[in-house]
Amino acid sequence: MEITLQEITADNFYDVCLLTTNKSGIPTFDEEFLCSNSVSIAESKYYPLLNPQAIYSDKILIGFIMSGPYCKDNGNFWVLRYMIDHQYQGKGYGKKAFHTFIEQIKRRGNIEQIHIGLDPDNIRAVSLYTSVGFEFTGERKDGEDVYILKLIQNAP
């Protein structure tokens, strides 16, 4: 299984919008722990420093991630959305895809740490992010617990 992160384009945006974490397979505006991919893609047009990407396993679209400097947090680098479609959850794609994302960010060389906000009730997400090295900061932002992954060990 080769995981790649690809640009959202006119060719794939509709399919990305159809991805969902809902067990019914029907995407909704607000899902249990995140908003829909269509909202995220629209948001990226108003905040052009955000980078929405499609997640593929080989040639199969399996998920979505959006990251970049967060305007409500002094430009710190955040993962604002991350999801694996309901039919691919629990198969190891989430962790592997997130490792691919971390390697992509490390290659950029200019980001010291990645922030993420998690609903404390989202046990699966907390488990995933802590397993790849995120640590809880003890802070809350926008109703979520803030976690940080330090890419450079001397990062604040």
Side-chain angles (χ1 to χ4, degrees), residues 98-129:
F98 208 82
H99 277 295
T100 300
F101 169 75
I102 291 169
E103 290 307 312
Q104 176 190 69
I105 297 307
K106 284 180 176 179
R107 283 192 300 275
R108 290 174 59 174
N110 62 341
I111 296 168
E112 295 181 355
Q113 55 190 13
I114 301 171
H115 296 71
I116 194 160
L118 299 175
D119 183 317
D121 293 334
N122 192 347
I123 304 301
R124 290 177 70 185
V126 171
S127 176
L128 168 68
Y129 297 116

Side-chain angles (χ1 to χ4, degrees), residues 4-13 16 41 45 51-56 61 64-65 104:
T4 58
L5 305 177
Q6 298 180 23
E7 179 182 4
I8 306 293
T9 66
D11 293 328
N12 68 2
F13 86 92
V16 171
I41 292 168
K45 301 309 173 193
N51 184 26
Q53 295 176 290
I55 302 170
Y56 287 85
L61 176 63
F64 174 79
I65 189 166
Q104 176 190 69

Side-chain angles (χ1 to χ4, degrees), residues 36-146:
S36 69
N37 295 340
S38 57
V39 171
S40 297
I41 292 168
E43 184 179 14
S44 75
K45 301 309 173 193
Y46 294 101
Y47 300 97
L49 296 178
L50 297 179
N51 184 26
Q53 295 176 290
I55 302 170
Y56 287 85
S57 175
D58 298 318
K59 294 184 191 291
I60 300 170
L61 176 63
I62 63 166
F64 174 79
I65 189 166
M66 185 168 75
S67 62
Y70 186 39
C71 63
K72 294 182 182 179
D73 190 40
N74 300 318
N76 285 323
F77 190 88
W78 282 72
V79 172
L80 297 165
R81 306 289 188 291
Y82 182 66
M83 62 83 71
I84 299 296
D85 187 76
H86 73 102
Q87 60 188 327
Y88 300 105
Q89 291 182 8
K91 299 178 180 180
Y93 291 109
K95 191 170 189 176
K96 184 151 176 69
F98 208 82
H99 277 295
T100 300
F101 169 75
I102 291 169
E103 290 307 312
Q104 176 190 69
I105 297 307
K106 284 180 176 179
R107 283 192 300 275
R108 290 174 59 174
N110 62 341
I111 296 168
E112 295 181 355
Q113 55 190 13
I114 301 171
H115 296 71
I116 194 160
L118 299 175
D119 183 317
D121 293 334
N122 192 347
I123 304 301
R124 290 177 70 185
V126 171
S127 176
L128 168 68
Y129 297 116
T130 56
S131 77
V132 298
F134 278 83
E135 296 178 357
F136 180 48
T137 64
E139 298 175 51
R140 286 187 64 79
K141 184 170 213 51
D142 299 333
E144 296 179 324
D145 291 345
V146 176

